[in-house]
């Protein structure tokens, strides 16, 4: 047994006992029976292994970082065996999570997108986390990014612990922008406000690159099209859905205004009309585009390329204040009548540990939602992540709806319509009509949850 692990085992059990409180299990109960962690620890026998099942959807760099965070937990809790399962991102993940929970065999802890939380909660698939339970576990509600915690709260009850905020942001090629005269004396991008200033900056960058001022993926990527549109549309104060998706609230004038600006960038050749994800990566990493509009999770993609880049929130082109489209990863405890108080306490301990390790998570570009990490001196030194913290506080998400959320049919419909406008194959007004007609069958259908 590694040095100190027995002490940590006892400490972990005692901590768990404190979380459980008198109503969930007393000291006597924990000591009852020779198999209890405290009893076996005190009497020198090897502690029994507790199991914790954990589902997530992280691969690549995020997957590597999550494994490091799981390892940190295991090292501190050697009496708990964590069985982590990585499942395919998107609808397949949520389908499996829903079926497992409905079938009475959910994981103890799972990752979800907050944009999916409303539907999962109203389907009765998640266990609420009372504020006193969160506080007892060392997770008081005032220690989270407010926007993320609001999104994690459904009908007044917290149903998820936010892990991060991952906003749609603006990358810029430092060398291109320097040559274009877009940097200030400290070498940072000068503020860009309003459609004219952003367009002028793209035009200046284009003169340097000789090809494009900026780039964002248009082809075969409805989610990116939706995020780009949502950023500007939300800045105008627009909404898309209400009443859990049963009512379309799309503001045609605001949507046309946002799309008209976006189309002006592709029609003028400042951004490519048609480019897939691979083409986007190629253009920005080789200096053929000075700006990139994408999620911050692309930072690891460009970190290993020659391009020297920085990242800032997407400028507030419309409206008086910053508004950033974003989503959040969050940790939930699926509904499980068989979960006893001790197992639930272990689950809460695991969640707390992941949050405490979220400096590792931030290396993938994500902004920690756990303020003790986000406001730490170490995170303040982390670049470019610390440059776009404001996007987390200004985050707006997918609208609640049984067919909306990350990788959903909602994003497919709206994103596909946006793409037709970006390619100039359809007018902005035509794209808005396509959004409305595509969403209407879902808004009119009887919701399967709620």
């Amino acid at each position: 047994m590694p040095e100190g692990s027995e002490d940590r085992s006892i400490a972990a059990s005692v901590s768990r006992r404190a979380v459980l409180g008198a109503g969930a299990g007393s000291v006597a109960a924990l000591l009852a029976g020779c198999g209890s962690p405290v009893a076996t620890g005190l009497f020198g026998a090897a502690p029994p292994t507790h199991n914790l099942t954990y589902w997530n959807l992280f691969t690549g760099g995020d997957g590597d970082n999550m494994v490091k965070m799981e390892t940190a937990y295991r090292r501190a809790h050697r009496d708990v065996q964590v069985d982590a399962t990585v499942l395919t991102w998107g609808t397949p993940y949520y389908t499996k999570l829903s079926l497992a929970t409905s079938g009475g065999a959910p994981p103890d802890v799972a990752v979800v997108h907050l944009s999916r939380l409303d539907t999962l909660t109203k389907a009765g698939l998640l266990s609420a986390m009372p504020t006193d339970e969160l506080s007892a576990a060392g997770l008081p509600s005032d220690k989270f990014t407010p926007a993320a915690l609001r999104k994690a709260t459904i009908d007044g009850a917290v149903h998820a612990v936010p892990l991060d905020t991952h906003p749609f942001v603006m990358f810029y090629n430092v060398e291109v922008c320097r040559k274009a005269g877009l940097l200030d004396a400290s070498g940072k991008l000068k503020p860009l406000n309003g459609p004219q200033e952003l367009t002028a900056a793209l035009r200046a960058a284009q003169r340097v690159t000789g090809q494009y001022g900026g780039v964002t993926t248009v082809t075969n990527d409805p989610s990116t099209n939706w995020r780009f549109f949502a950023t500007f549309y939300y800045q105008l104060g627009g909404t898309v859905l209400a009443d859990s998706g049963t009512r379309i609230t799309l503001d045609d004038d605001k949507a046309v205004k946002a799309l008209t600006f976006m189309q002006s960038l592709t029609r003028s050749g400042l951004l490519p009309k048609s480019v897939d994800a691979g083409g986007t990566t190629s253009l920005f990493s080789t200096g053929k585009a000075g700006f990139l509009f994408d999620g911050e999770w692309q930072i690891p993609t460009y970190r290993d390329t020659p391009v020297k880049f920085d990242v800032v929130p997407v400028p507030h082109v419309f409206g008086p204040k910053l508004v950033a489209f974003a989503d959040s990863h969050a940790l939930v405890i699926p509904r499980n009548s068989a979960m006893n108080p001790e197992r639930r306490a272990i689950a809460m301990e695991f969640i707390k540990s992941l949050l405490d390790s979220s400096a590792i998570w931030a290396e993938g570009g994500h902004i920690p939602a756990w303020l003790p990490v986000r406001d730490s001196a170490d995170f303040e030194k982390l670049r470019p992540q610390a440059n776009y913290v404001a996007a987390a506080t200004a985050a707006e998400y997918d609208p609640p709806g049984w067919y909306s959320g990350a990788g959903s049919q909602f994003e497919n419909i709206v994103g596909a319509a946006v793409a037709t406008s970006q390619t100039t194959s359809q007018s902005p007004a035509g794209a808005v009509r396509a959004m409305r007609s595509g969403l209407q069958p879902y808004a009119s259908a009887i919701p399967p949850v709620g």
Side-chain angles (χ1 to χ4, degrees):
M1 179 178 290
E3 182 180 356
S5 62
E6 186 176 3
D7 291 342
R8 286 194 295 272
S9 175
I10 295 171
S13 297
V14 171
S15 174
R16 227 166 279 139
R17 181 182 58 205
V19 171
L20 289 173
S26 65
V27 174
L30 282 173
L31 289 172
C34 60
S36 77
V38 175
T40 51
L42 289 173
F43 293 110
T49 298
H50 300 280
N51 292 320
L52 179 81
T53 54
Y54 171 50
W55 286 12
N56 69 75
L57 33 66
F58 302 123
T59 57
D62 279 350
D64 292 342
N65 289 335
M66 180 52 67
V67 169
K68 293 177 184 175
M69 295 159 70
E70 293 165 7
T71 299
Y73 174 81
R74 289 189 179 98
R75 286 174 176 162
H77 302 83
R78 296 189 183 274
D79 62 327
V80 179
Q81 177 177 321
V82 178
D83 297 321
T85 301
V86 180
L87 298 169
T88 303
W89 185 93
T91 298
Y93 176 81
Y94 290 104
T95 300
K96 289 178 181 177
L97 181 61
S98 299
L99 290 174
T101 304
S102 299
D108 296 314
V109 178
V111 167
V112 302
H113 291 87
L114 286 185
S115 61
R116 292 267 189 168
L117 192 71
D118 187 78
T119 300
L120 294 168
T121 300
K122 291 179 177 174
L125 297 173
L126 302 181
S127 174
M129 300 172 174
T131 53
D132 57 348
E133 181 186 36
L134 290 170
S135 295
L139 298 167
S141 57
D142 63 347
K143 297 297 183 184
F144 291 92
T145 302
L149 190 69
R150 282 196 297 272
K151 189 66 177 176
T153 304
I154 309 294
D155 295 332
V158 175
H159 282 78
V161 175
L163 176 62
D164 67 39
T165 304
H166 46 276
F168 195 78
V169 292
M170 185 171 77
F171 293 65
Y172 64 92
N173 182 314
V174 173
E175 188 60 20
V176 167
C177 289
R178 186 186 65 77
K179 292 179 179 177
L182 298 172
L183 304 185
D184 62 18
S186 67
K188 298 297 183 183
L189 188 70
K190 296 175 183 175
L192 301 173
N193 297 309
Q196 290 81 18
E197 289 190 12
L198 180 55
T199 301
L202 291 167
R203 188 170 294 116
Q206 186 181 41
R207 286 195 290 270
V208 175
T209 67
Q211 196 154 353
Y212 294 108
V215 63
T216 188
T217 302
V218 177
T219 307
N220 299 326
D221 192 349
S223 292
T224 294
N225 282 291
W226 154 243
R227 294 169 188 139
F228 194 35
F229 166 72
T231 299
F232 299 127
Y233 180 62
Y234 283 170
Q235 289 179 356
L236 288 164
T239 61
V240 184
L241 302 176
D243 300 336
S244 298
T246 59
R247 188 161 60 90
I248 299 172
T249 58
L250 196 63
D251 185 312
D252 287 18
D253 291 341
K254 291 176 179 175
V256 167
K257 186 173 183 178
L259 288 173
T260 298
F261 170 70
M262 294 163 60
Q263 193 187 72
S264 74
L265 303 179
T266 56
R267 188 180 289 280
S268 64
L270 290 174
L271 270 62
K273 290 181 182 177
S274 178
V275 59
D276 62 12
T280 294
T281 302
S282 177
L283 287 172
F284 187 68
S285 64
T286 58
K288 295 175 181 174
F291 291 88
L292 165 69
F293 301 93
D294 211 330
E296 41 77 346
W297 51 90
Q298 297 293 357
I299 286 175
T301 300
Y302 297 101
R303 190 176 284 148
D304 296 330
T305 68
V307 65
K308 182 181 179 184
F309 66 92
D310 208 337
V311 183
V312 294
V314 177
H316 45 103
V317 172
F318 302 110
K321 63 178 184 179
L322 178 69
V323 175
F325 175 82
D327 205 337
S328 293
H329 298 115
L331 298 149
V332 299
I333 297 180
R335 175 176 52 81
N336 183 359
S337 60
M339 176 179 270
N340 62 35
E342 185 175 12
R343 195 174 184 91
R344 186 175 176 96
I346 292 172
M348 294 299 293
E349 259 184 354
F350 178 68
I351 290 171
K352 173 68 162 50
S353 175
L354 294 185
L355 294 187
D356 288 341
S357 299
S358 56
I360 298 171
W361 192 240
E363 293 173 5
H366 313 310
I367 303 169
W370 182 229
L371 297 183
V373 173
R374 195 206 72 179
D375 294 341
S376 67
D378 286 343
F379 181 77
E380 176 57 31
K381 297 174 185 173
L382 189 63
R383 292 291 185 273
Q385 288 86 335
N387 293 347
Y388 50 84
V389 166
T393 60
E396 293 201 15
Y397 296 74
D398 274 22
W402 63 269
Y403 51 94
S404 72
S408 65
Q409 191 61 13
F410 169 85
E411 292 192 353
N412 291 338
I413 292 168
V414 178
V418 171
T420 63
S421 178
Q422 289 298 84
T423 61
T424 70
S425 63
Q426 184 162 228
S427 68
V432 174
R433 287 194 294 273
M435 292 179 193
R436 190 179 294 280
S437 63
L439 294 173
Q440 192 59 58
Y442 293 89
S444 303
I446 299 174
V449 299

